Amino acid sequence: MLQPIFLTPVFKERIWGGTLLKQEFGYNIPSDKTGECWAISAHPNGSSIVANGEFIGKSLAELWKEQPQLFGNPSSDVFPLLTKILDANMDLSVQVHPDDSYANSHENGELGKTECWYILDCKKDAEMILGHHAKTREELEKCIEDGAWDDLLRKVKIKPGDFFYVPSGTIHALCEGTLVLETQQSSDTTYRVYDYDRRDEAGNLRELHLEKAIDVTTVPHQDPDVCPKVTIKDQAVVTTFVETEFFSVHKWDIHGQASFSSDDRYLLVSIIEGTGRLTYQGERYSFEKGVHLLIPVGFNDFNIEGQCQLIVSHP
């Protein structure tokens, strides 16, 4: 019988990380510089592990290869998505990601990286860097060469509950005091543009990737057209943030009970608030804030009840 597949995350220490992943979600983090929870991942640099059922102990990467029917028998060898939670205790480096074509030819066949952010929490009057003001690539190069960051970088105000779609080619950076759930293509390729002259533990300046960054940056910056849609489903408010060629991302805000189906697609589910219970074919599965799971293809007519918020994505 099909079951929801609960997953154990992988944690990554980062120079800009902190302790919010432990404080907010109760995770057993490796240090007080933990910046990333790779919650649903089959990437070679860190794959989630199945925590229940007949596949317990297997990695999501192994499951993708060995049990393709759970995912609708996909043609690709690569699990396409990666769900993270990021604790930006300090400013992240100003960065940009390549698209599929550039990454494939320059990064040994890696996927490109289009991503999106749901702001779980942030400090008052928080900002992030999203885009730039250069009108031409020559102007972009000159601003980078001169270190004219105040002239170049575009800052936007953020608040909890905001959603941002960040296509490949977008210069961006999360700033200090931000907790974010990120849905992205399964890629670990980042081109740093500026890192505030920070040094690593060995005292070395962190590597920049200026030539590649200038190559892939969209000039002039283009804001994507994102128009969230809200529908009511039983006792749930369903917000569809974005539907693109890479992924669709939704929020299920449940106050009571609602019925759903995965039909011909698998779902990546992260509980970001509250507690609840999933019921499928008479079996009940409890969950709480900080739990992540995958719902296989064909998982039809399941119920979720409780007081909870879920971020749900699929290719």
Side-chain angles (χ1 to χ4, degrees):
M1 188 185 80
L2 285 176
Q3 291 182 304
I5 298 167
F6 289 80
L7 296 165
T8 301
V10 175
F11 297 96
K12 302 285 185 177
E13 294 172 279
R14 297 290 186 250
I15 194 171
W16 41 263
T19 58
L20 276 182
L21 293 172
K22 179 178 181 179
Q23 294 170 34
E24 290 294 320
F25 299 99
Y27 295 141
N28 183 21
I29 60 175
S31 77
D32 61 3
K33 288 285 187 181
T34 304
E36 301 188 8
C37 164
W38 288 27
I40 305 176
S41 168
H43 194 278
N45 291 350
S47 184
S48 311
I49 303 298
V50 178
N52 70 307
E54 62 179 303
F55 306 118
I56 190 168
K58 285 191 173 290
S59 70
L60 183 55
E62 289 175 314
L63 217 58
W64 179 257
K65 292 178 181 177
E66 298 171 5
Q67 304 293 331
Q69 74 282 358
L70 298 174
F71 308 95
N73 297 303
S75 57
S76 174
D77 292 336
V78 179
F79 186 79
L81 299 183
L82 174 51
T83 301
K84 294 179 182 177
I85 301 177
L86 308 179
D87 172 13
N89 187 51
M90 298 169 59
D91 293 344
L92 273 67
S93 60
V94 179
Q95 58 193 248
V96 65
H97 306 304
D99 64 12
D100 285 345
S101 175
Y102 192 95
N104 184 63
S105 59
H106 290 79
E107 305 298 339
N108 299 314
E110 177 92 329
L111 289 177
K113 190 173 175 186
T114 284
E115 61 191 11
C116 61
W117 299 328
Y118 179 81
I119 309 299
L120 295 169
D121 201 6
C122 60
K123 66 181 185 180
K124 186 179 179 182
D125 298 322
E127 294 181 322
M128 70 178 183
I129 293 166
L130 190 66
H132 61 86
H133 298 296
K135 297 297 186 288
T136 65
R137 204 163 300 276
E138 291 73 24
E139 185 181 349
L140 175 71
E141 290 184 41
K142 185 165 189 347
C143 284
I144 291 174
E145 183 180 326
D146 294 346
W149 305 115
D150 289 341
D151 294 332
L152 176 64
L153 300 176
R154 175 177 178 260
K155 293 185 177 180
V156 298
K157 295 284 188 184
I158 63 172
K159 63 184 185 303
D162 283 349
F163 177 87
F164 296 92
Y165 181 60
V166 187
S168 59
T170 304
I171 287 181
H172 63 277
L174 294 174
C175 297
E176 175 188 344
T178 310
L179 186 68
V180 168
L181 187 138
E182 177 177 284
T183 303
Q184 59 160 90
Q185 291 181 270
S186 184
S187 171
D188 201 21
T189 299
T190 292
Y191 300 149
R192 289 194 200 105
V193 179
Y194 176 56
D195 194 42
Y196 309 96
D197 298 323
R198 282 186 292 210
R199 296 181 182 271
D200 61 21
E201 291 180 352
N204 301 311
L205 290 170
R206 295 213 296 167
E207 182 183 5
L208 302 179
H209 315 91
L210 297 183
E211 184 176 343
K212 289 181 176 179
I214 291 167
D215 275 352
V216 305
T217 297
T218 300
V219 184
H221 169 73
Q222 300 172 9
D223 274 325
D225 185 18
V226 176
C227 298
K229 296 179 291 186
V230 178
T231 58
I232 305 298
K233 187 174 180 61
D234 303 327
Q235 293 173 305
V237 178
V238 176
T239 303
T240 298
F241 290 117
V242 70
E243 295 176 293
T244 74
E245 63 182 295
F246 304 109
F247 47 67
S248 297
V249 180
H250 318 265
K251 181 172 73 169
W252 296 354
D253 195 350
I254 299 171
H255 296 277
Q257 181 172 308
S259 297
F260 301 93
S261 288
S262 66
D263 298 324
D264 59 351
R265 62 194 178 202
Y266 55 93
L267 305 176
L268 282 56
V269 180
S270 297
I271 291 80
I272 60 169
E273 206 56 71
T275 60
R277 184 171 63 187
L278 185 154
T279 303
Y280 179 66
Q281 295 188 351
E283 294 292 325
R284 296 175 176 177
Y285 306 87
S286 297
F287 57 75
E288 61 186 0
K289 178 180 177 179
V291 166
H292 307 273
L293 60 142
L294 187 144
I295 294 178
V297 165
F299 204 86
N300 299 325
D301 302 321
F302 62 92
N303 288 335
I304 294 180
E305 59 182 308
Q307 304 289 325
C308 51
Q309 291 183 1
L310 289 62
I311 297 293
V312 180
S313 63
H314 57 82

